[in-house]
């Protein structure tokens, strides 16, 4: 399922931004509420001490006058009258004489009952259905107690106001931020779009590397991967062209011979000549058929695409089946075909490709071994490798020419055995795809020994 990089980036960046802003706003709100509480608590303490000092001094003077015996009591008929300031009716105080519990002074909005039951310190109480923050101070020398209260709504209103001032710009800026991020992402993705258009406009045969000079660093891996792909495709196309040219050249020889023999058979009136021409034409057909089979096999294992998922391959079973397929061919030349192994061996590989590898080794050994000779297939383990060796009693190959025979359509001079020169090319390619090593030596039978060593997984 495809998805849009722009939308994913936009969603991711906005989600992160909103999350950070939300945490910032919540943290700021909590910090502001805490600081406002501390500030208003300090104001309550300051107001309480000032009122205690002033009211206490005034009351002491009144008590020292001629009316000292009178009960000093200030009373307001309407404690909830309109205040001069919006927050004034939310501030209240009381002055008490202890332990007589006599209310001496109170603000217009303070009740007759104590604002707090605590003799000293801060407390939160509900007064007339509203939460108040109350501070009580008690002077032991004079016996006065001052209680100053403040409605919690003041703090909440101020905290909410600060939160709105912090949050409003965030909410207002969010749509503009979304638009800017969307535009910024679009501009950042322009090089990728230009790269796609450049690749789209390319001709199918244009495998030149893409210029990465003005490409952002983040796109360099993609450009390098594309250039690597173009380079591999160029090599593959070149190999295909060379392979096609070589195959056409090799096929011309048997086809020309078949045509010549067919013309001889048509023109000849001698039955013996005609039969000889037909036999030679059949030999040409067999040779062409083998060449086509090997070309198809080589084309199948030649691309640099590997062999896919490996599997466990029983080499003993594989060798027994392959030898059984070549038994008739060996019997026709009276060749002794042997399988030598100490135990069953298993490797990870591609079963069909390994069968083709062993089949080509056996076919070459049987074809180049004279009648009455011997061909051996040996399986074993040597130096942390699993080995398949095919030995024969044929003429062998000189040491200085052994590397040449792995080339395509290469046949050594002086060989009178018909062939295409593709067998060992196929073997080499399959070994390479299995990360195996091929070694050519002189066999104990007097001919050639080809050993393929597979690394132990």
């Amino acid at each position: 399922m495809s998805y849009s990089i722009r939308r994913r980036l936009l969603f991711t960046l906005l989600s992160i931004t909103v999350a950070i802003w939300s945490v910032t706003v919540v943290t700021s709100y909590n910090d502001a509420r805490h600081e406002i509480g501390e500030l208003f608590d300090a104001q309550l303490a300051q107001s309480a001490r000032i009122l205690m000092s002033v009211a206490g001094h005034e009351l002491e003077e009144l008590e020292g006058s001629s009316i000292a015996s009178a009960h000093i009591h200030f009373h307001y008929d309407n404690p909830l009258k309109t205040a001069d300031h919006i927050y004034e009716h939310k501030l209240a105080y009381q002055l008490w004489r202890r332990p007589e519990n006599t209310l001496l002074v109170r603000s217009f909005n303070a009740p007759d009952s104590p604002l707090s039951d605590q003799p000293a310190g801060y407390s939160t109480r509900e007064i007339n259905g509203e939460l108040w923050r109350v501070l009580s101070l008690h002077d032991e020398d004079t016996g006065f107690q001052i209680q100053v209260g403040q409605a919690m709504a003041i703090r909440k209103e101020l905290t909410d106001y600060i939160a709105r001032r912090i949050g409003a710009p965030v909410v207002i800026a969010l749509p503009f931020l979304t638009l800017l991020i969307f535009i910024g992402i679009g501009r950042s993705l322009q090089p990728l779009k230009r790269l796609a258009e450049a690749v789209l406009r390319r001709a199918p045969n244009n495998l030149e590397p893409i210029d990465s000079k003005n490409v952002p660093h983040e796109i360099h891996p993609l450009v390098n991967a594309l250039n690597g792909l173009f380079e591999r495709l160029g090599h593959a196309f070149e190999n295909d062209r060379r392979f096609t040219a070589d195959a056409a050249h090799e096929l011309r020889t048997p086809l020309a011979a078949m045509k010549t023999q067919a013309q001889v058979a048509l023109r000849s009136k001698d039955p013996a000549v005609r039969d000889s021409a037909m036999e030679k034409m059949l030999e040409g057909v067999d040779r062409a058929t083998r060449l086509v089979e090997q070309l198809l096999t080589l084309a199948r294992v030649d691309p640099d695409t590997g062999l896919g998922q490996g599997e466990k391959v029983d080499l003993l079973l594989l060798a027994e089946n392959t030898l059984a397929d070549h038994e008739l061919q060996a019997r026709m030349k009276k060749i002794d075909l042997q399988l030598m192994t100490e135990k069953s061996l298993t490797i990870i590989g591609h079963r069909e490709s390994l069968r083709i590898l062993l089949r080509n080794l056996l076919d070459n050994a049987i074809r180049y071994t004279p009648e009455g000779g011997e061909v051996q297939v040996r399986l074993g383990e040597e130096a942390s490798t699993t080995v398949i060796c095919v030995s024969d009693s044929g003429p062998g190959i000189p040491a200085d020419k052994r590397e040449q025979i792995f080339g395509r359509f290469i046949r050594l001079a002086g060989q009178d055995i018909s062939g295409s020169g593709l067998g060992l090319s196929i073997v080499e390619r399959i070994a390479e795809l299995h990360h195996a090593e091929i070694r050519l030596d002189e066999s104990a039978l007097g001919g050639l020994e080809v050993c393929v060593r597979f690394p132990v997984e």
Side-chain angles (χ1 to χ4, degrees):
M1 181 179 179
S2 61
Y3 60 90
S4 170
I5 295 179
R6 175 181 291 186
R7 292 178 182 176
R8 174 167 289 190
L9 286 174
L10 180 62
F11 175 78
T12 302
L13 292 176
L14 283 180
S15 299
I16 294 174
T17 302
V18 171
I20 293 176
W21 277 359
S22 300
V23 171
T24 302
V25 170
V26 171
T27 303
S28 300
Y29 177 81
N30 291 332
D31 290 344
R33 184 173 62 180
H34 174 74
E35 294 299 326
I36 288 172
E38 294 288 336
L39 176 63
F40 278 105
D41 283 349
Q43 288 180 347
L44 282 177
Q46 186 179 21
S47 300
R49 288 187 174 88
I50 293 174
L51 287 173
M52 174 71 80
S53 175
V54 174
H57 178 73
E58 294 294 333
L59 289 174
E60 286 178 356
E61 289 183 354
L62 289 174
E63 285 182 334
S65 65
S66 60
I67 57 171
S69 61
H71 293 286
I72 303 171
H73 188 181
F74 298 92
H75 178 72
Y76 292 89
D77 294 332
N78 184 11
L80 299 177
K81 69 179 182 179
T82 305
D84 294 334
H85 192 273
I86 184 172
Y87 290 148
E88 187 176 351
H89 70 283
K90 295 185 180 181
L91 299 172
Y93 64 89
Q94 294 176 336
L95 181 63
W96 295 84
R97 183 190 293 277
R98 303 298 185 189
E100 294 86 350
N101 294 329
T102 301
L103 179 62
L104 300 178
V105 179
R106 70 178 175 88
S107 63
F108 70 91
N109 57 344
D112 294 331
S113 58
L115 291 175
S116 174
D117 296 333
Q118 293 186 5
Y122 291 95
S123 61
T124 303
R125 290 194 58 196
E126 184 176 341
I127 302 175
N128 296 329
E130 188 177 7
L131 285 179
W132 286 67
R133 182 72 167 170
V134 180
L135 173 62
S136 299
L137 291 180
H138 184 235
D139 191 342
E140 296 290 344
D141 297 332
T142 62
F144 294 146
Q145 183 192 48
I146 188 76
Q147 291 187 343
V148 181
Q150 184 184 61
M152 295 292 290
I154 297 177
R155 306 181 183 207
K156 185 177 183 304
E157 288 177 8
L158 184 56
T159 304
D160 292 346
Y161 172 76
I162 293 176
R164 287 194 298 271
R165 293 298 298 268
I166 295 175
V170 174
V171 175
I172 295 173
L174 188 59
F176 297 98
L177 180 64
T178 303
L179 179 61
L180 291 176
I181 292 177
F182 184 82
I183 295 175
I185 292 174
R187 292 177 62 88
S188 300
L189 292 177
Q190 282 299 316
L192 191 60
K193 184 177 180 181
R194 289 194 294 268
L195 176 63
E197 292 175 350
V199 174
L200 186 63
R201 289 194 301 266
R202 281 192 165 220
N205 59 346
N206 183 7
L207 298 177
E208 292 296 322
I210 298 174
D211 185 11
S212 59
K213 184 184 301 182
N214 298 321
V215 173
H217 294 293
E218 291 77 9
I219 306 181
H220 273 174
L222 176 59
V223 174
N224 293 337
L226 285 173
N227 288 339
L229 175 61
F230 291 154
E231 183 178 1
R232 292 193 299 273
L233 286 175
H235 290 320
F237 291 159
E238 180 61 27
N239 289 337
D240 286 343
R241 285 192 291 267
R242 189 166 58 248
F243 176 79
T244 302
D246 292 343
H249 174 74
E250 289 297 318
L251 282 172
R252 273 197 296 267
T253 300
L255 291 177
M258 290 166 56
K259 181 179 179 181
T260 300
Q261 296 301 327
Q263 291 173 342
V264 170
L266 288 174
R267 295 173 182 175
S268 177
K269 296 181 180 180
D270 186 348
V273 175
R274 189 165 50 246
D275 291 343
S276 175
M278 293 299 293
E279 289 178 2
K280 291 180 180 179
M281 190 167 63
L282 288 176
E283 291 177 0
V285 170
D286 291 339
R287 181 182 175 188
T289 301
R290 173 176 169 74
L291 177 59
V292 170
E293 289 177 353
Q294 289 191 309
L295 288 172
L296 292 176
T297 300
L298 186 61
R300 186 165 64 247
V301 299
D302 191 61
D304 297 327
T305 56
L307 293 172
Q309 185 67 33
E311 58 180 326
K312 288 185 177 181
V313 180
D314 187 339
L315 292 183
L316 177 58
L317 180 60
L318 181 71
E320 290 175 344
N321 293 335
T322 308
L323 263 68
D325 294 338
H326 289 77
E327 185 176 357
L328 179 60
Q329 182 184 2
R331 189 182 304 168
M332 292 177 63
K333 295 184 66 174
K334 299 178 182 180
I335 291 176
D336 183 14
L337 195 58
Q338 301 177 11
L339 174 60
M340 303 175 62
T341 181
E342 298 177 357
K343 60 180 180 178
S344 178
L345 298 173
T346 301
I347 64 171
I348 303 298
H350 190 273
R351 188 185 308 276
E352 179 61 22
S353 296
L354 292 173
R355 188 187 65 81
I356 294 173
L357 179 145
L358 185 54
R359 186 189 70 189
N360 277 275
L361 290 178
L362 273 174
D363 185 70
N364 278 351
I366 294 173
R367 288 166 60 83
Y368 287 95
T369 298
E371 288 190 13
E374 186 177 353
V375 173
Q376 291 181 353
V377 176
R378 180 171 58 87
L379 306 179
E381 292 179 336
E382 297 178 3
S384 301
T385 61
T386 302
V387 182
I388 301 177
C389 290
V390 178
S391 304
D392 62 61
S393 59
I397 299 177
D400 59 342
K401 296 183 178 180
R402 288 172 184 168
E403 293 298 326
Q404 303 177 16
I405 65 172
F406 288 106
R408 295 174 179 175
F409 308 108
I410 298 297
R411 300 183 71 248
L412 298 181
Q415 293 180 343
D416 56 355
I417 305 299
S418 63
S420 62
L422 291 174
L424 287 179
S425 295
I426 296 173
V427 171
E428 182 186 39
R429 185 56 183 154
I430 296 175
E432 180 184 345
L433 294 176
H434 283 84
H435 307 289
E437 177 189 0
I438 301 179
R439 182 175 298 174
L440 276 63
D441 293 304
E442 185 176 348
S443 75
L445 302 177
L448 180 69
E449 180 183 64
V450 181
C451 290
V452 184
R453 288 175 167 81
F454 298 88
V456 176
E457 297 292 336

